[in-house]
Amino acid sequence: MQSWYRFKDKKASLLIMGLLLFYIDFVHAAYNVAPEIVADGDQVYCPLTAMPIVTNFDIIDPDDTEIDAFYIQISTGYQRGFDLLSLTNSHPTISTSWNSQEAKLTLTGSGGGSMLYVDLIAAVKDVVFESTSESPTAEKFFSFTIGSVNYLPETGHYYEYVSQVGISWEEARVAAQNRTFFGLQGYLVTVTSSAEAQITGEQAAGTGWIGGSDAQTEGVWKWMTGPEAGQIFWNGNFTGNSPNFAFWNTEEPNDLNGEDYAHITAPGIGITGSWNDLRITGDATGDYQPKGYIVEYGGMPGDPVLNLSASTKISTPKIESTVPAERCGPGVVTLNAATTIGEVWWFDADGNNIGIGESFDTPYLDTTTTFYVLATYNGCTTGQKTSVQAEIKILPEINDGVTLTNCDADGVSDGFTNFDLTQYLYLLSPNEQPFNFSFYLTAADAENEVNRIAANDFNNSVADQIYFRADGVGPYCHAIGTVYLDVSTTSFPAGYRYELQTCDTEESDGIAPFDLTDAEADMLAQFPSGNGLTVTFYQTEDDALYKRNEIGNTETYFNSVPYSDSLFVRVDDEGSGTCFGVGEYLFLTVWPIPSFELESEYSFCTGGQVEVSPINASGNYTYSWRNEANFEVGTGASFSASEAGRYSAIATSIEGCVASPVYFNVTESGPPDLLPEFVLVDDDGDTGTITVLYENGELGLGDYEFYLDDLYGTKSETSVFTEVEPGLHTLFAVDKNGCGMDWIQVGVVGVPKFFSPNADGINDFLGIKGITSEFYTEGSFAVFDRYGKLLVQLDPMLHGWTGFYNGRPLPPSDYWYVLQLVDHDGAIHLKKGHFTLKQ
């Protein structure tokens, strides 16, 4: 075989060696049937003892009766420095050697010869496992194989370390691929579990290349060989993560100088059996120089089914969990523990077994005590005990049943307000220990520390009885107490105001009396009943705050500001003596009494009516119109009077203030009936005087004014017209209220001073002026010459004189006349005088 190493081409040498191994395996497979190994044993281990690793063992080989070597390995759960496999009893034909690195026991024939199967079978049955560890791993697997390669029951694969210093990763990949084991195809190992990592790293005969690389994509580590080829097992550098399994050393991979290939880390560097990344050739010397490679067999397509190996398992009872416990104050504590196998035994500090079972009630304790548990099987009491503490804490001293009082100052006077419970913690405990307080709605919640309420913003509308939990530190535990929440309501609701209103007095100065007690009932009704509240009134806020200058006579208080005033109200909780509310809540209003005017006199025309309406009203009022008997005859804004009399009007404002009655007169007016009997004419002189003589009501119901000749012209203020020229005149009587008029012709009797009957159409005849049948029934007109001779006598009611006498005109001269008229009363009116006849 030494001649093979004379080839200078290393790659050629590797190729030829691979072909030779393939040929040997082929020949063995063709002419020999592989032996079958049968091993039984799934046992429970008692720590610090030795026990056989099989309950039954056999080798079935139809071709052979002996074997050169046999291998037993702790393939999973190995604890170096504690675990050991050894052969017991006398087996003179068998020799053994123990490899603590690989956890492997090798059996060979004495003197280097072969072993008969019968001797080997007997020896394997006497191989025992023992460990000096009080806490062995929970499970240990033992593999039995006829080859020197390592076997992992978990995967059913075989693993072989091949030493070759300086080999590159690519060369190792090719070399591994060219290796076989009893027909199983080799490949650079792919490590997918912690058990696989241990058998290929910590328990391997050396360190070398494995099948991982990120050469394709930097930072994406894949398995490049075997059945897992292409599977990603790591992303990133040493801060990255694995989607499945990886076992990098500390701060690896780091891609130092382009390191893209995975290698088992050399012993003594970081975590034993872990990985680091190297360049494809590694370093030339030192710890990062490749020392070989790890080959994995199994799992490839076309691999034969082999029974070259078998495995057994032992399990060690372990305490998988403990639950310590504590209590407040002396008493019994319940502790709990659980085991993977078997029973839980409880021990005191002196090692006395004091209980069995997963749950254990301690004796009565007044101090903290440590107990110990052991997982035992079939009474095994060796192994490591686990401590479990029963802690007895000091019960905090608290003040149970404290009542906390707060003022209802949230603007809603409903007896509910927010409490900042953290401000009252000093009341909950009599000592100065630094307890942590929390609050709950029920005692059960407080005990279990669930559903904690917000301590800095709790409203007693939720509950007025709550529970607090005082948790101590150090040796103190917790205590539960009750808190009662009491609210004193002295603040009025937001926006509250109360108004007292009254009407002004007759003085109309805006000052009026108020009964402040009328407001107290409504104010107290803003608060929950039964609080023992009092209400007082003040003119200023400072007075209310300091309780000075309280308004005493609350039943008759006169406002100090005309028409509109306000007072400060103070509400005191006499029970607590701490809560009070102050605010400008009482407002006083004095409403003016109605003010309006009416004419003193109104009139209407007969058959009609007059509309009476207020004038200069100071507001919108309602009115009550009343007659002389004080019966209401109207309620409108105005009143239509159709009857004469004395009336009154009473105005009421929208605020309900009532004015004193305003009185007025209504008279009826009608057209005049102007008759001659009411007219006196004095016409004794050159001019006359016309006088209307009548008593009230004689002419009619109205009040009249008189005009002569010109209607609505010059009127007589006294119904007397003077210096009226002789002749017929029209006398008018007019109702001052527009209810009608009448007229009559009135004559002022007179004879002209001259006339000239010369047929020129001017003063051709002497007519008697002012005679009218309304005043006179008959009369006579006689003319005399200067000698007293009667010249003519005629009826002045019918015609005048033409200046003729006995058919002949009289000469110009002065003539005298006598005029006599008889009025309707038979009275004779005589008028004498003279006139001149001119040509």
Side-chain angles (χ1 to χ4, degrees):
M1 292 293 292
Q2 293 180 355
S3 62
W4 294 107
Y5 293 99
R6 294 196 181 109
F7 286 97
K8 296 182 179 180
D9 189 334
K10 184 183 295 184
K11 289 185 178 180
S13 299
L14 291 172
L15 178 59
I16 293 172
M17 289 177 64
L19 290 172
L20 178 59
L21 291 171
F22 175 77
Y23 172 76
I24 293 171
D25 287 342
F26 175 78
V27 172
H28 184 274
Y31 295 99
N32 292 282
V33 177
E36 178 182 353
I37 300 175
V38 178
D40 296 323
D42 189 352
Q43 306 176 80
V44 178
Y45 177 62
C46 183
L48 303 178
T49 64
M51 71 176 302
I53 60 175
V54 297
T55 57
N56 184 45
F57 181 78
D58 197 7
I59 297 178
I60 302 172
D61 188 349
D63 297 324
D64 299 307
T65 60
E66 59 183 20
I67 189 171
D68 291 336
F70 190 78
Y71 305 92
I72 305 175
Q73 185 179 28
I74 306 174
S75 55
T76 301
Y78 175 57
Q79 292 173 283
R80 182 176 295 140
F82 296 97
D83 294 353
L84 176 67
L85 294 177
S86 60
L87 179 61
T88 61
N89 298 324
S90 176
H91 297 276
T93 62
I94 304 296
S95 296
T96 62
S97 65
W98 167 248
N99 184 334
S100 61
Q101 171 66 31
E102 297 183 85
K104 184 181 291 184
L105 181 69
T106 303
L107 285 73
T108 58
S110 297
S114 298
M115 297 177 291
L116 293 174
Y117 281 144
V118 65
D119 292 337
L120 175 60
I121 292 170
V124 171
K125 292 180 179 180
D126 282 342
V127 173
V128 297
F129 165 79
E130 59 183 322
S131 176
T132 58
S133 171
E134 290 186 341
S135 181
T137 52
E139 292 183 336
K140 296 182 186 291
F141 286 85
F142 304 95
S143 61
F144 304 85
T145 180
I146 62 174
S148 61
V149 298
N150 296 335
Y151 173 70
L152 183 61
E154 179 183 282
T155 62
H157 292 186
Y158 297 88
Y159 304 86
E160 179 182 19
Y161 169 72
V162 179
S163 176
Q164 188 170 347
V165 176
I167 188 172
S168 71
W169 183 87
E170 178 60 26
E171 291 170 340
R173 184 187 67 80
V174 173
Q177 186 174 324
N178 290 329
R179 297 179 72 87
T180 61
F181 179 71
F182 287 94
L184 300 178
Q185 174 66 52
Y187 53 89
L188 271 184
V189 66
T190 58
V191 184
T192 60
S193 69
S194 58
E196 205 170 13
Q198 182 176 16
I199 203 167
T200 59
E202 183 181 348
Q203 289 183 237
T207 59
W209 294 111
I210 60 177
S213 171
D214 71 342
Q216 291 182 349
T217 303
E218 180 61 38
V220 180
W221 285 87
K222 301 178 182 178
W223 295 117
M224 309 300 293
T225 58
E228 287 82 14
Q231 181 185 97
I232 297 173
F233 66 89
W234 186 260
N235 291 292
N237 59 10
F238 59 85
T239 64
N241 58 82
S242 171
N244 35 64
F245 177 79
F247 190 45
W248 293 105
N249 206 340
T250 305
E251 297 190 1
E252 297 284 354
N254 55 25
D255 194 34
L256 182 64
N257 299 320
E259 297 175 331
D260 295 327
Y261 299 91
H263 190 277
I264 303 294
T265 305
I269 299 178
I271 303 170
T272 302
S274 61
W275 313 335
N276 63 283
D277 57 341
L278 295 178
R279 288 173 289 119
I280 192 168
T281 59
D283 289 353
T285 59
D287 290 329
Y288 298 103
Q289 178 190 38
K291 301 299 192 295
Y293 55 95
I294 312 297
V295 184
E296 182 174 358
Y297 303 98
M300 294 294 287
D303 279 352
V305 177
L306 300 178
N307 292 308
L308 297 175
S309 300
S311 66
T312 61
K313 180 184 75 170
I314 64 171
S315 301
T316 302
K318 306 288 288 186
I319 296 295
E320 61 180 356
S321 66
T322 60
V323 182
E326 64 180 42
R327 67 166 290 128
C328 290
V332 175
V333 179
T334 299
L335 304 176
N336 289 277
T339 180
T340 56
I341 305 172
E343 297 178 318
V344 177
W345 284 20
W346 297 84
F347 297 87
D348 61 18
D350 296 327
N352 299 312
N353 178 217
I354 55 175
I356 297 175
E358 293 187 348
S359 180
F360 170 65
D361 290 334
T362 70
Y364 185 89
L365 304 176
D366 53 13
T367 60
T368 297
T369 304
T370 300
F371 296 88
Y372 300 88
V373 289
L374 176 69
T376 183
Y377 188 82
N378 285 339
C380 174
T381 59
T382 59
Q384 186 177 38
K385 296 182 178 69
T386 302
S387 64
V388 186
Q389 189 176 70
E391 186 174 8
I392 305 300
K393 289 197 168 185
I394 301 172
L395 189 68
E397 187 178 356
I398 61 172
N399 294 327
D400 190 15
V402 172
T403 297
L404 306 181
T405 301
N406 201 358
C407 299
D408 190 354
D410 57 6
V412 181
S413 301
D414 54 3
F416 302 119
T417 193
N418 291 337
F419 282 77
D420 183 355
L421 302 174
T422 61
Q423 302 300 313
Y424 302 95
L425 301 183
Y426 68 95
L427 299 174
L428 304 182
S429 176
N431 56 40
E432 298 180 357
Q433 293 298 327
F435 297 139
N436 295 318
F437 291 94
S438 52
F439 297 86
Y440 306 85
L441 293 178
T442 67
D445 285 353
E447 189 64 44
N448 297 315
E449 290 189 277
V450 296
N451 304 319
R452 179 182 299 192
I453 62 178
N456 62 341
D457 190 23
F458 181 77
N459 196 288
N460 65 306
S461 63
V462 178
D464 57 9
Q465 177 182 342
I466 60 176
Y467 299 85
F468 69 90
R469 177 185 173 113
D471 284 284
V473 295
Y476 288 90
C477 55
H478 73 275
I480 308 297
T482 305
V483 170
Y484 299 96
L485 304 180
D486 185 33
V487 174
S488 176
T489 303
T490 57
S491 296
F492 284 97
Y496 175 80
R497 58 183 289 146
Y498 191 84
E499 296 188 11
L500 285 177
Q501 303 174 356
T502 191
C503 297
D504 204 353
T505 60
E506 292 296 330
E507 287 78 5
S508 297
D509 56 1
I511 303 298
F514 289 88
D515 187 351
L516 304 185
T517 60
D518 291 341
E520 288 186 14
D522 185 81
M523 291 179 174
L524 292 175
Q526 306 304 311
F527 307 100
S529 60
N531 280 8
L533 304 181
T534 59
V535 176
T536 50
F537 303 95
Y538 302 84
Q539 288 186 328
T540 68
E541 185 175 21
D542 282 347
D543 283 351
L545 289 172
Y546 297 107
K547 296 188 74 173
R548 65 191 181 195
N549 301 321
E550 177 185 344
I551 295 174
N553 187 8
T554 56
E555 295 182 357
T556 309
Y557 172 76
F558 286 87
N559 52 303
S560 60
V561 179
Y563 297 107
S564 180
D565 200 357
S566 62
L567 296 178
F568 287 85
V569 181
R570 178 180 174 118
V571 178
D572 284 278
D573 179 0
E574 300 297 341
S576 69
T578 58
C579 295
F580 69 91
V582 168
E584 191 177 14
Y585 299 122
L586 182 56
F587 296 86
L588 309 178
T589 301
V590 177
W591 298 114
I593 58 176
S595 173
F596 69 99
E597 297 176 1
L598 293 173
E599 299 289 349
S600 61
E601 299 290 336
Y602 295 88
S603 66
F604 65 92
C605 299
T606 301
Q609 60 185 17
V610 63
E611 189 78 11
V612 181
S613 296
I615 55 179
N616 298 326
S618 299
N620 294 323
Y621 306 135
T622 59
Y623 295 89
S624 174
W625 304 90
R626 296 175 178 272
N627 60 19
E628 279 186 279
N630 204 32
F631 292 131
E632 188 173 71
V633 292
T635 58
S638 62
F639 171 62
S640 296
S642 59
E643 292 183 6
R646 182 170 178 77
Y647 293 86
S648 65
I650 300 174
T652 303
S653 66
I654 59 175
E655 293 82 19
C657 296
V658 180
S660 297
V662 176
Y663 292 93
F664 61 95
N665 293 318
V666 175
T667 58
E668 183 179 355
S669 188
D673 185 11
L674 186 59
L675 299 174
E677 61 192 72
F678 301 121
V679 179
L680 175 64
V681 178
D682 181 4
D683 49 8
D684 289 339
D686 292 337
T687 60
T689 299
I690 299 174
T691 303
V692 181
L693 298 174
Y694 68 97
E695 298 293 335
N696 285 339
E698 289 182 331
L699 291 180
L701 295 176
D703 186 10
Y704 307 109
E705 56 190 7
F706 302 92
Y707 299 88
L708 188 65
D709 294 328
D710 184 10
L711 181 62
Y712 303 120
T714 302
K715 65 180 178 179
S716 172
E717 299 294 336
T718 62
S719 70
V720 176
F721 297 92
T722 60
E723 297 181 1
V724 181
E725 292 295 329
L728 291 177
H729 296 274
T730 301
L731 177 64
F732 298 93
V734 179
D735 183 60
K736 292 181 179 179
N737 296 309
C739 294
M741 60 169 286
D742 197 7
W743 62 274
I744 190 174
Q745 279 196 327
V746 178
V748 175
V749 178
V751 178
K753 296 295 184 183
F754 67 90
F755 77 106
S756 56
N758 54 11
D760 61 358
I762 302 174
N763 298 321
D764 283 337
F765 87 104
L766 180 67
I768 310 304
K769 297 180 178 179
I771 298 176
T772 173
S773 61
E774 284 87 356
F775 286 88
Y776 302 105
T777 60
E778 59 180 306
S780 67
F781 181 69
V783 178
F784 301 90
D785 63 13
R786 65 176 65 189
Y787 302 109
K789 181 182 176 179
L790 176 65
L791 299 178
V792 65
Q793 186 169 350
L794 51 85
D795 187 354
M797 304 285 289
L798 299 176
H799 48 76
W801 182 49
T802 61
F804 282 80
Y805 179 72
N806 292 328
R808 292 182 298 170
L810 291 177
S813 180
D814 289 334
Y815 296 89
W816 279 257
Y817 65 87
V818 175
L819 176 63
Q820 181 175 300
L821 297 171
V822 179
D823 62 22
H824 286 276
D825 293 329
I828 297 175
H829 299 270
L830 184 64
K831 185 173 179 69
K832 296 178 180 181
H834 66 91
F835 58 87
T836 300
L837 187 155
K838 295 180 180 181
Q839 287 297 326

